[in-house]
Every structure is written in structure tokens, then in C-alpha cells.
Amino acid sequence: MPTIGEQLKQAREARKLSIKQAVQAIHVRAHYLQAMETDDFSSMTSPAQARGFLRLYADYLGLDAEELTNRQRTEAMPEQTAALAQAPIEVKLPAPIPPVEPPPADPSPDSFPEETPPGPPKPSQVIFFEIGSMLRERRELISVTLDEIERHTHLRKHNLELVESGSFEELASPVQARGILSTYASFLDLDTDAVLLRYADALQSRRLERQAASEASKARGTPRPNLSVPFWLRRFISPDLIFGGGMVLTLLAISVWGAARILSSSGIADTTPTAGPSISDVLLASPEAAVVGTELIPTSSLDELGTPLPTLDPALIVATDTLVPTVPSAVQITIVVLERTFLRVTVDGVIKQDGRAAVGAALSFDGSSRIEILTGSGSAVQILFNQADLGMMGSFGEVVNRIYTVNGVETPTPTSSPTATITPKPSATLKPTLTSRPTTTPRPTATPRPTSTPRPTTTPRP
């Protein structure tokens, strides 16, 4: 029966292919293909690599790749078993640490923790060293360096060194250690399940050791604080939940603080109302003037139309000599603005106010014959005519125009605006229609000429 290499070579030559063409097709180096054709699988980096290249080459040549890989595995097993039997695995344990002499007796022994001298290696450490030594011996047997394993398996060289030295505690987690062991054992063509089961035994031994140490510490009277979280609560507590809850509480605290600051700054303060004259006293009082300091401030002035009356502090008012009252005018009007509205006041034909008036303003006007008032809202204006309160001029939104004269109040008669007549537009002149042209008289037809009478034929003579 031909060997695996002979079958590969015969299939390649039967298809008339060269080594160079096979390299370009499956991207495997030429010396690996030549080694497989000569049955030299030991030149491969690992048995796993050899089986992978053999599978690619067999598929390319149209052979049964599964049969060839199983045959190659079967042929390589006796050699590996013999090599392992000749080179037994030695478990190298760390050198025992010499015992430390106890410190001298102290009158207060409770002030120092009790120290236990180091003893022999623990069972879990023995199993870890056994696994690491087995992997290292296997790697040295097939002459593979850690750099080559790192290049093919993408495992860091530092982690491989920790695994071979049995320092599994220095790895990030047991899950990472389990993954490194699985990949490393598969690359070395070892029984991955057996290696992982041995690693599980080591983890179980370490857990029992820690449990025994915890029980021993409790027996010595130095119990460890129990900081375990209940399982039902552990399901809901996570770093994201803690961070999100902290942010929500922070935002809520900031909102409460801001609302308190706004309420404290804009709160209703206790204000003391300023004592002053009522609006009726101001409206019914005669025009006077008050002196503040050295400046004379009149109570009514045409320059302050549309502004509220100032409220004077009684303490600032200085008594002055009584002014001689002026002769009252024929028509006196005082307008109290209750709402903001448009107001036009014409005094003896002269416009004194034309625009919006401020709410709360009291406007006084004096005329010799007549005063005309026009407002955009009758309920916004209150009229005092010759010291008599006439009330509001009208209702809300009503445009009111009234004339106050010596004889009384007049309402101007509205004049109707002339209605424009609509001039009818002239109708368009019709365009004259075109006169039809006379038809042409038909020409007489030509009279047919008479046809010539045929001449009688001559009778032949006898």
C-alpha cells in the first residue's frame, strides 16, 4: 500500500501540476509540500500544523482529506507515545522555604498577628506545577520555542511562561487560564479534555484549601468580616446601575438647590406700604405745588402728561408760604387713566395729548371755551368735569368722542361720508363684420360644332 507522501505525489503528477503551481493555489511553502510528499511530517512545527497542511493539499489534489489525516494521526501516535515513554515528565517543585524563627516573647502578644511558618506545598500548587511541567516537556520534545508558539497561536509569551511555571494565580482569571490551556494543549497535540480536567481538580483543591483556612481562622477567634451580598440583591447591583443612580441623585439635588435659590431670590418680601394721599384726595384737591428741598415741583404740569403721579414722602415735604390760587378757568377737565389706551385731548382747538396714556396717570386740562376728548376704550378713562365726577366715558372697547364746554357736555353728530357713485364703463364698440364677396359668374360652355356628314359612296358602274 503506498504511503501518504506517495499518494500525494502520484495525484499531483497525474494532474500534471508542479510544486510551484500548488504553492500558488493553497499558499503553503514549497519545502512543506516536498516534506509531505517524502512522508517527513516531523519537520512541521506541530502535528496540528502538519494535519492542516495535509488537509489543504489533499483537498487541492482531489483526495480524501479525512482519510489521510486520520491515517497520519494513527501513524504518528506510536512515535509520540514512545518518545513520551522515553522522556518521563518530572514535576519540579519549588524549594521549601526555611522556617523562620519566632520573635522573642512580648508582654503584649495581642498587638501582633499570629504568624504561621510555611509548610510543604499545597495540593493545588502541586497539580499546577504538574500541568506546567507536562506542557514544557512536551514543547521541548517537539523542539518548539515559545516565540514560534506565540506566532502560531497568538498567545502572549509571558502568559505561556506563567503556565509552564505553574503560576496560574498570576493570570487575570481562571477563565483566561482555561482558554490558554485549551489552545496550548491543542497546539501540542495533547488530550485537551484530560488537561482541562486536571486543571479543574487543581481549582477544586484550591477552593477546599481556602475554605479550610477560613474555618481555621474562625476557630482561632479572628473571624473575617462577612461582606457577601445576597444573591437576589447581587442580580440588580452593577457598576452601570450604581453610576446611573448616582447621576440621577446628583441631578435631583442640583434641581432642588436651584429651585430653593430661585424661590429665595424672588420670594415675596415683607413690604411696608408707603403712606400717601388717596386717589380721590389727589383728584379733588386744588392745584398746588410742593417744594422738595430747594426745587418747586408742581402737582400737575403739561410736561408730565401720560406719567403716574409721584408719591412724596411726608418727611421730605417742607412747609412753605401759601400760594395765591389762580382764577379758575371756564372749563376744567381731569382725566384719570384706569387702563392703558389711546387718548387725544384738544383744548380750544389745540391738541394737548395725542397717544397712549400710562395707567394711573391723572391729567388735568384747562380751557376757556371747549375741551374735546377722544378715547379708544370708554371704560379705561374716568372724567372729572369742573370738579364733578362723571364716571367712565363708556364701555370696554367703545370708541368715545365728547366735547366739554361751558354749557355742558356735547356729543358730536357723526356725519356720513359721501357715497361714491359707480360710473358705468362704456361698452365696447362692436367691430364691423366683413362683407361677403360676390361669387363669380360661370362662363358659358362652348357650343359643340356639327359633325361632318359622311359622303355617299359611289355606285360602281356596270
Side-chain angles (χ1 to χ4, degrees):
M1 182 178 182
T3 62
I4 297 176
E6 293 176 354
Q7 291 183 9
L8 295 175
K9 186 174 182 180
Q10 292 174 3
R12 179 178 59 81
E13 292 177 352
R15 300 182 62 179
K16 297 180 181 181
L17 298 174
S18 62
I19 296 293
K20 185 176 181 181
Q21 293 176 345
V23 169
Q24 294 176 355
I26 63 177
H27 303 286
V28 178
R29 294 183 180 179
H31 65 274
Y32 287 139
L33 299 181
Q34 293 174 358
M36 286 189 291
E37 290 184 355
T38 58
D39 294 321
D40 185 13
F41 293 96
S42 61
S43 60
M44 306 290 178
T45 305
S46 65
Q49 183 184 21
R51 289 195 298 272
F53 288 168
L54 178 59
R55 185 181 298 275
L56 289 175
Y57 200 17
D59 290 338
Y60 173 68
L61 296 177
L63 300 175
D64 190 355
E66 191 67 25
E67 179 183 358
L68 293 180
T69 52
N70 293 335
R71 181 179 174 185
Q72 191 271 339
R73 185 195 300 271
T74 305
E75 294 177 357
M77 286 298 294
E79 300 177 0
Q80 297 176 3
T81 306
L84 290 175
Q86 295 176 2
I89 299 174
E90 298 180 0
V91 179
K92 299 180 181 179
L93 301 178
I97 301 175
V100 181
E101 297 180 359
D106 190 72
S108 58
D110 296 337
S111 59
F112 296 96
E114 182 179 358
E115 295 183 359
T116 304
K122 299 179 180 179
S124 61
Q125 295 179 353
V126 175
I127 299 176
F128 286 148
F129 288 128
E130 178 185 350
I131 296 174
S133 300
M134 180 179 58
L135 295 175
R136 184 179 64 256
E137 294 294 338
R138 176 66 176 175
R139 177 180 60 80
E140 293 176 355
L141 178 63
I142 60 179
S143 301
V144 180
T145 62
L146 293 177
D147 295 332
E148 293 176 348
I149 295 176
E150 182 181 8
R151 184 171 62 253
H152 288 86
T153 61
H154 303 286
L155 297 175
R156 295 180 59 185
K157 182 179 179 181
H158 175 68
N159 294 336
L160 296 176
E161 292 176 351
L162 293 178
V163 169
E164 290 187 354
S165 62
S167 302
F168 288 88
E169 293 85 357
E170 300 183 13
L171 295 175
S173 64
V175 178
Q176 182 186 15
R178 189 180 295 108
I180 294 175
L181 276 179
S182 177
T183 305
Y184 199 7
S186 176
F187 180 80
L188 297 176
D189 200 20
L190 295 174
D191 191 354
T192 306
D193 296 336
V195 175
L196 294 180
L197 287 175
R198 192 61 176 163
Y199 176 69
D201 295 340
L203 293 180
Q204 182 69 12
S205 299
R206 187 172 63 179
R207 186 184 68 83
L208 295 176
E209 293 167 2
R210 291 179 178 178
Q211 184 177 0
S214 176
E215 293 177 356
S217 62
K218 290 180 180 180
R220 288 195 301 266
T222 56
R224 297 176 58 185
N226 187 11
L227 301 179
S228 61
V229 182
F231 178 74
W232 63 270
L233 186 59
R234 195 184 312 163
R235 295 175 56 189
F236 299 99
I237 295 179
S238 63
D240 296 338
L241 180 61
I242 295 175
F243 177 76
M247 291 297 296
V248 170
L249 293 178
T250 303
L251 293 176
L252 183 60
I254 293 175
S255 302
V256 173
W257 175 77
R261 289 293 303 273
I262 293 174
L263 292 177
S264 61
S265 61
S266 63
I268 301 176
D270 295 337
T271 57
T272 303
T274 304
S278 62
I279 187 64
S280 60
D281 296 339
V282 174
L283 296 177
L284 298 177
S286 60
E288 296 179 353
V291 177
V292 179
T294 59
E295 183 180 0
L296 181 63
I297 301 178
T299 57
S300 61
S301 174
L302 296 179
D303 297 335
E304 296 180 354
L305 295 177
T307 58
L309 292 175
T311 304
L312 300 179
D313 191 352
L316 299 177
I317 300 177
V318 180
T320 57
D321 297 336
T322 304
L323 299 177
V324 179
T326 58
V327 178
S329 302
V331 181
Q332 293 182 355
I333 293 294
T334 301
I335 304 175
V336 180
V337 182
L338 304 178
E339 299 176 2
R340 187 174 180 83
T341 182
F342 173 79
L343 185 64
R344 177 184 294 173
V345 181
T346 305
V347 180
D348 296 334
V350 179
I351 297 176
K352 298 294 184 178
Q353 169 71 21
D354 188 9
R356 292 185 178 272
V359 179
L363 310 178
S364 299
F365 302 96
D366 297 336
S368 59
S369 62
R370 55 183 288 168
I371 297 177
E372 183 178 355
I373 300 175
L374 174 63
T375 180
S377 178
S379 63
V381 177
Q382 182 180 359
I383 302 298
L384 279 77
F385 174 51
N386 291 338
Q387 305 300 328
D389 188 3
L390 301 182
M392 292 182 293
M393 295 183 64
S395 59
F396 177 77
E398 179 185 0
V399 180
V400 182
N401 186 12
R402 291 181 183 173
I403 301 174
Y404 300 88
T405 61
V406 179
N407 299 327
V409 183
E410 299 178 0
T411 302
T413 303
T415 59
S416 59
S417 59
T419 305
T421 57
I422 301 175
T423 305
K425 295 181 179 180
S427 58
T429 306
L430 299 177
K431 294 182 179 181
T433 58
L434 297 177
T435 306
S436 58
R437 294 180 179 180
T439 58
T440 56
T441 304
R443 296 180 180 180
T445 58
T447 304
R449 295 180 180 180
T451 58
S452 57
T453 304
R455 293 178 180 180
T457 58
T458 57
T459 304
R461 293 178 181 180

